[in-house]
Amino acid sequence: MDAARLLYFMATIVYQGADDTVSEEIDDEKLNYREDHWQIHHGDDEYTYIPRERVYTVKMTDPHFENE
């Protein structure tokens, strides 16, 4: 396993989307909390803004521990 993989963490955010519940698994560096909302960075200047009250869960996953 290389050094870059050792530092790679994931985040899973589950929230109420426009039509249904959405679950996204993303690089934890692309998920940020700002004052009253979560922000997902998709690249360049593309973001998804999710109000705090629409977020059900946010879970950080450490890749050093495999699911058994």
Side-chain angles (χ1 to χ4, degrees), residues 46-60:
E46 186 180 338
Y47 293 88
T48 298
Y49 298 96
I50 309 158
R52 174 180 61 210
E53 59 273 4
R54 287 184 30 214
V55 175
Y56 300 127
T57 62
V58 175
K59 179 181 176 185
M60 305 306 277

Side-chain angles (χ1 to χ4, degrees), residues 3 6 8-10 12 14-15 18 23 25-28 30-34 38 42 45-46 50 54 62-64:
L6 292 176
Y8 186 67
F9 290 83
M10 295 298 293
T12 302
V14 180
Y15 61 94
S23 178
E25 186 171 321
I26 54 176
D27 181 340
D28 73 329
K30 296 182 179 185
L31 179 66
N32 296 297
Y33 186 75
R34 305 279 190 239
W38 286 90
H42 298 285
D45 290 330
E46 186 180 338
I50 309 158
R54 287 184 30 214
D62 183 341
H64 299 99

Side-chain angles (χ1 to χ4, degrees), residues 13-27:
I13 183 169
V14 180
Y15 61 94
Q16 180 60 46
D19 298 321
D20 205 359
T21 300
V22 178
S23 178
E24 287 191 52
E25 186 171 321
I26 54 176
D27 181 340

